[in-house]
Amino acid sequence: MNELNAIWPLFGLTLTTPRLELHPIRDADLPAAVEAALSGIHAPGKSPFSNPWTELPNDELGANMAQWYWRCRAGMNPESWTLLLGIWHQGEFIGCQDLEAKSFASLKTVSTGSWLKRAAQGQGLGKEMRAAALSYAFDFLNAEVATSEAAVWNKQSLGVSTSLGYEPNGTYRAQWGAGVVEVQRVRLTAGSFIRPDWKLKVEGHDAAAKFLGM
């Protein structure tokens, strides 16, 4: 019988940094992901997400997360994909880092998003996991541009972007949940990426890239 990695090659992808391991979230990882989210990601009423999913009732949040992971997985194809990477630190699930692309073959552009449970914040792990995703995108997927965005009040996220070399790329007003916020776009090129002082270790790339049509 075929192993799951042979059926769904993305499950064989693993990115390793000095402190973190990143790999696509499997169904067996969902309970740990939900537990991490329920432990708290941000201050009450201060959601950094355009879709305030963390403010759902506790008994609804898990199902919502599972539906999102399954939806992203089901929609994966060479023209449009969202790679959801779970983050493990010292064997504990602490958050998620995603890479998203549309028409990647021609645009060579990825966007990133992430969350990190509050207990793991303030230790530089958010920067390390974004640097891992960017290193993979630029050095293995041959991306040329990476984009991201955050509410203008989200100094922590924007600070991570600045420290990695992103430059401001305009602002816009948007409806985020029940409120309206000013959103800052940022943009990074492969040449302006401020690389970490460590080298990313990658396993399972060839099969994953082939699956994504690269």
Side-chain angles (χ1 to χ4, degrees), residues 3 8-9 13 22 25 27 35 51 66-67 72 74 79 108 120 131 138 143-144 152 160 165 167 171 183 189 204-205:
E3 294 184 355
W8 193 256
L13 179 67
L22 298 76
I25 297 172
D27 286 357
E35 181 179 358
N51 173 18
Q67 286 178 312
C72 290
E79 287 301 308
K108 299 295 184 183
F138 289 137
E144 297 174 0
V152 295
V160 168
E167 297 182 350
T171 62
V183 182
T189 63
H205 166 69

Side-chain angles (χ1 to χ4, degrees), residues 78 81 101 104-105 108 136 140-142 205-206 208-214:
W81 46 266
F104 182 79
K108 299 295 184 183
Y136 182 64
F140 289 83
L141 300 180
N142 297 318
H205 166 69
D206 290 344
K210 182 179 179 181
F211 182 81
L212 293 174
M214 300 179 193

Side-chain angles (χ1 to χ4, degrees), residues 131-203:
L134 293 171
S135 296
Y136 182 64
F138 289 137
D139 299 339
F140 289 83
L141 300 180
N142 297 318
E144 297 174 0
V145 174
T147 64
S148 190
E149 64 181 33
V152 295
W153 56 259
N154 193 345
K155 303 304 182 185
Q156 187 174 9
S157 176
L158 293 173
V160 168
S161 296
T162 298
S163 71
L164 291 170
Y166 287 83
E167 297 182 350
N169 193 33
T171 62
Y172 68 98
R173 284 172 60 81
Q175 183 85 33
W176 281 28
V180 175
V181 300
E182 193 81 10
V183 182
Q184 175 70 61
R185 292 190 178 103
V186 291
R187 184 178 186 272
L188 177 69
T189 63
S192 59
F193 176 32
I194 300 175
R195 296 178 176 277
D197 59 3
W198 43 263
K199 185 174 178 61
L200 182 69
K201 178 182 177 182
V202 177
E203 299 176 67

Side-chain angles (χ1 to χ4, degrees), residues 8 11 25-27 68-76 82:
W8 193 256
F11 283 150
I25 297 172
R26 299 184 179 217
D27 286 357
W68 170 243
Y69 295 151
W70 292 331
R71 189 179 302 120
C72 290
R73 195 185 301 163
M76 295 283 284
T82 300

Side-chain angles (χ1 to χ4, degrees), residues 4 22 31-33 40 68 71 87 91 100 102 105-107 114 143 146 177 190 193:
L4 187 56
L22 298 76
W68 170 243
R71 189 179 302 120
I87 313 298
E100 181 178 358
K102 297 185 186 306
S106 55
L107 299 179
S114 65
F193 176 32

